[in-house]
């Protein structure tokens, strides 16, 4: 049989995720379509590649032998596409974390880059970006990288941004010109969505003993601020440079001692980096030096440990 790249991609996704449902979400197809692709591959090869258990999927001996050549075949397929790609075609940069407006940084970098051929696209989250990079649909992504994300991703931290506290104007803490993160332990941190999707906020809350008030779905910044205003002991965190029209009844206070920093990163596929990645890294580094985006003093600032390690 002639290898079918769609079937090989389905097999590799299941092998990586060890789960048909997660693999289907990674490829943005239905689980039924994924199962059919794997079944056709097994029928064509005349061997069983996967042992399907109730909780997880495991590779058979034949599947173990096929995995590395299947990855090579997918990489070769991407090389074929790259060979015929028009040189002038823009590289796609996917951004996520829209509540914190990542486009502020991306536009600033691209505006300072002469002859930029980058096309910016929105993405739901880091997992969605990882899937697009794996399929060769994107050159890179920009947002918050966190521990436990796709192991196929490489990343570089390119900006650290202080965050401010937003809280009801009627709360006694609102009288202070500046707050300490530890002061927020007297409040509840209002989250825009499920805590499992909010790595920075949950790490901040754990470090400074701030109780959490989770949200069910991210309905945007205006909705989040309305929730904070409706909770007498509520607060939330937003980037200090985020353009923000503060609604009546709320105040914004800077945080210090220490200053919490939100880490923005550029991510790309580790094994198949797009040709545009080096230029993007240089552009972010150049703008970062001009704007002093990577200033970090351990005695003055706070970062989650994984972010601090990324600074080297």
């Amino acid at each position: 049989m002639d290898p079918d790249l769609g079937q090989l991609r389905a097999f590799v996704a299941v092998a990586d995720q060890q789960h048909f449902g997660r693999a289907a979400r990674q490829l943005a197809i239905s689980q039924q379509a994924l199962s059919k692709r794997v079944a056709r591959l097994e029928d064509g090869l005349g061997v069983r590649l996967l042992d399907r258990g109730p909780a997880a999927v495991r590779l058979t001996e034949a599947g173990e032998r096929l995995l590395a050549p299947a990855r090579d075949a997918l990489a070769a397929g991407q090389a074929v596409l790259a060979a015929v790609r028009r040189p002038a075609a823009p590289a796609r940069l996917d951004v996520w974390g829209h509540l914190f407006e990542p486009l502020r940084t991306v536009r600033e970098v691209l505006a300072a880059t002469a002859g930029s051929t980058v096309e910016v696209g929105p993405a739901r989250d880091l997992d969605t970006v990882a899937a697009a990079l794996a399929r060769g649909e994107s050159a890179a992504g920009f947002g918050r990288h966190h521990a436990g994300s796709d192991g196929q991703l490489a990343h570089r931290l390119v900006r650290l941004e202080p965050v401010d506290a937003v809280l009801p104007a009627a709360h006694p803490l609102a009288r202070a010109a500046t707050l300490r993160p530890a002061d927020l332990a007297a409040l509840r941190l209002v989250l825009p969505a499920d805590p499992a999707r909010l790595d920075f906020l949950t790490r901040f809350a754990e470090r400074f003993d701030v109780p959490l008030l989770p949200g069910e779905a991210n309905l945007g910044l205006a909705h989040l601020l309305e929730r904070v205003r409706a909770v007498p002991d509520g607060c939330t965190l937003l980037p200090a440079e985020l353009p923000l029209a503060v609604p009546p009844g709320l105040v914004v206070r800077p945080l210090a001692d220490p200053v919490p920093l939100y880490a923005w990163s550029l991510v790309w596929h580790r094994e198949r980096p797009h040709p545009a990645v080096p230029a993007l890294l240089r552009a972010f580094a150049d703008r970062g030096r001009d704007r002093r985006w990577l200033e970090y003093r351990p005695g003055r600032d706070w970062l989650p440990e994984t972010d601090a390690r990324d600074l080297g």
Side-chain angles (χ1 to χ4, degrees):
M1 63 173 288
D2 291 328
D4 182 297
L5 292 182
Q7 294 172 5
L8 290 176
R9 187 173 293 109
F11 163 71
V12 170
V14 176
D16 287 342
Q17 297 293 333
Q18 298 184 351
H19 191 276
F20 273 86
R22 290 194 295 269
R25 288 193 293 274
Q26 175 184 315
L27 297 178
I29 61 175
S30 69
Q31 188 169 334
Q32 182 181 21
L34 178 72
S35 298
K36 287 182 178 179
R37 291 184 189 182
V38 173
R40 291 191 189 110
L41 179 62
E42 291 178 321
D43 289 344
L45 294 173
V47 293
R48 192 175 76 258
L49 301 172
L50 300 166
D51 284 329
R52 298 154 173 83
V57 178
R58 296 287 183 269
L59 291 171
T60 64
E61 289 187 13
E64 293 280 2
R65 292 194 299 272
L66 177 62
L67 186 56
R71 293 191 194 278
D72 292 342
L74 293 177
Q78 291 298 322
V80 170
L81 294 177
V84 298
R85 184 179 292 157
R86 292 183 298 173
R92 196 175 97 188
L93 176 64
D94 287 338
V95 299
W96 74 98
H98 300 289
L99 192 75
F100 285 4
E101 294 193 18
L103 283 174
R104 294 176 295 123
T105 299
V106 171
R107 286 171 178 154
E108 185 173 337
V109 170
L110 297 183
T113 307
S116 172
T117 56
V118 175
E119 179 182 83
V120 180
R124 181 172 181 268
D125 52 27
L126 178 56
D127 289 339
T128 305
V129 172
L133 290 170
R135 295 193 298 268
E137 296 172 356
S138 297
F142 177 80
R144 174 165 172 76
H145 181 273
H146 55 81
S149 56
D150 194 314
Q152 293 182 328
L153 293 183
H155 72 283
R156 182 177 298 174
L157 196 153
V158 294
R159 182 178 186 183
L160 299 174
E161 186 173 8
V163 297
D164 291 338
V166 183
L167 64 155
H171 195 279
L173 285 176
R175 299 170 192 158
T178 302
L179 296 173
R180 297 178 303 122
D183 295 334
L184 302 187
L187 302 172
R188 289 185 289 170
L189 185 60
V190 180
L191 302 182
D194 184 342
R197 297 183 55 203
L198 301 169
D199 175 77
F200 175 80
L201 294 178
T202 54
R203 287 175 181 268
F204 175 91
E206 181 180 359
R207 169 63 180 80
F208 297 105
D209 296 320
V210 184
L212 295 177
L213 186 60
E216 295 181 359
N218 186 348
L219 299 179
L221 182 57
H223 181 263
L224 173 63
L225 294 176
E226 283 300 319
R227 288 186 63 215
V228 174
R229 186 163 62 171
V231 179
D233 63 343
C235 69
T236 197
L237 303 181
L238 292 174
E241 295 187 19
L242 180 71
L244 183 63
V246 183
L250 294 178
V251 295
V252 178
R253 295 291 181 261
L255 294 172
D257 192 26
V259 176
L261 300 175
Y262 188 87
W264 299 96
S265 292
L266 197 72
V267 302
W268 63 94
H269 199 281
R270 186 184 304 278
E271 297 177 1
R272 300 188 303 276
H274 190 279
V277 168
L280 283 169
L281 287 169
R282 286 194 299 271
F284 276 92
D286 290 344
R287 194 59 178 163
R289 279 192 299 271
D290 293 342
R291 297 275 271 113
R292 301 165 70 178
W293 277 345
L294 291 179
E295 283 195 357
Y296 169 63
R297 299 179 187 175
R300 179 196 66 180
D301 306 322
W302 175 80
L303 277 172
E305 289 183 7
T306 51
D307 296 326
R309 286 199 297 268
D310 286 342
L311 283 172

